[in-house]
């Protein structure tokens, strides 16, 4: 049986003008395509180690940048006369942002009271020791107690920070509004 020519000029089934099927791919047998080479397990561990190391370096750099490059000082390293841009929201802080007292600030360290060496005396004893801050403020700035808005804030060691060498109660005069200059 013959078919009339389709649009390609070749004969096709009557009423259907389908093009001829494409040629079949060449085949050389079951081993025609080889599997991708397997990577050594040791190489995977080395690559994982490199990724972890890079992540740690980036994290350490971020912490250093955020803490050091923005005027941050270890809370246990501030000294009498240092001014703080902001007052921490708790007494358990690692860093504070110190600024020049000529710039607006909300706190001024007026006393750093060293605790006796030895074992950690306990929270109650440290808080009782912090009672020495009020008389220290009267000595540092006699008129500060009469200023409205001046309050006391105390940073003190915890059992954990004691193990890292923190042995001081830090007394800070604070104000709700930023101020410039020293209180003393």
């Amino acid at each position: 049986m013959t078919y009339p020519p389709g649009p390609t000029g070749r004969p096709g089934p009557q009423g259907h003008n389908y093009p001829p099927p494409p040629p079949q791919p060449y085949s050389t047998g079951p081993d025609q395509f080889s599997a991708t080479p397997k990577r050594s397990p040791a190489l995977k561990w080395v690559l994982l180690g490199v990724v972890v190391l890079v992540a740690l370096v980036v994290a350490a750099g971020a912490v250093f940048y955020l803490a050091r490059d923005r005027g941050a000082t270890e809370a246990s390293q501030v000294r009498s006369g240092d001014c703080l841009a902001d007052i921490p929201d708790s007494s358990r802080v690692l860093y504070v942002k110190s600024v020049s007292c000529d710039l607006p600030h909300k706190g001024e360290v007026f006393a750093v009271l060293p605790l006796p060496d030895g074992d950690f005396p306990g929270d109650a004893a440290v808080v009782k020791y912090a009672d020495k801050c009020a008389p220290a403020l009267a000595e540092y700035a006699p008129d500060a107690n009469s200023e409205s808005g001046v309050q006391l804030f105390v940073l003190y060691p915890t059992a954990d920070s004691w193990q890292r060498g923190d042995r001081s109660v830090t007394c800070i005069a604070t104000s709700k509004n930023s101020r410039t200059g020293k209180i003393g």
Side-chain angles (χ1 to χ4, degrees):
M1 170 186 272
T2 61
Y3 297 104
T8 61
R10 294 187 178 171
Q14 201 160 11
H16 299 286
N17 293 324
Y18 295 116
Q24 296 296 319
Y26 295 105
S27 176
T28 60
D31 295 332
Q32 174 182 354
F33 300 105
S34 62
T36 57
K38 291 186 178 180
R39 290 195 176 136
S40 155
L43 178 60
K44 289 179 185 177
W45 284 110
V46 168
L47 289 175
L48 179 64
V50 168
V51 168
V52 169
L53 181 63
V54 167
L56 288 173
V57 168
V58 168
V63 167
F64 182 78
Y65 172 75
L66 292 174
R68 296 288 180 203
D69 290 345
R70 302 217 173 181
T73 304
E74 272 189 64
S76 62
Q77 298 300 313
V78 293
R79 299 291 168 242
S80 182
D82 290 351
C83 290
L84 308 178
D86 291 304
I87 301 305
D89 54 3
S90 81
S91 60
R92 292 184 178 218
V93 294
L94 294 176
Y95 293 95
V96 293
K97 184 175 181 185
S98 58
V99 295
S100 168
C101 292
D102 296 336
L103 297 175
H105 59 276
K106 290 193 174 183
E108 181 177 339
V109 177
F110 62 87
V112 178
L113 309 171
L115 288 157
D117 280 335
D119 293 335
F120 181 66
D123 290 329
V126 172
V127 169
K128 184 165 176 52
Y129 199 80
D131 290 341
K132 295 181 179 187
C133 286
L137 177 59
E139 186 178 319
Y140 181 81
D143 296 333
N145 286 330
S146 63
E147 277 188 50
S148 66
V150 174
Q151 297 178 347
L152 292 179
F153 183 80
V154 179
L155 296 174
Y156 53 85
T158 63
D160 290 335
S161 69
W162 189 273
Q163 297 300 321
R164 293 188 304 271
D166 183 10
R167 301 283 196 279
S168 300
V169 170
T170 304
C171 308
I172 304 167
T174 67
S175 58
K176 285 185 180 181
N177 299 321
S178 294
R179 63 184 297 145
T180 56
K182 292 189 170 264
I183 61 167

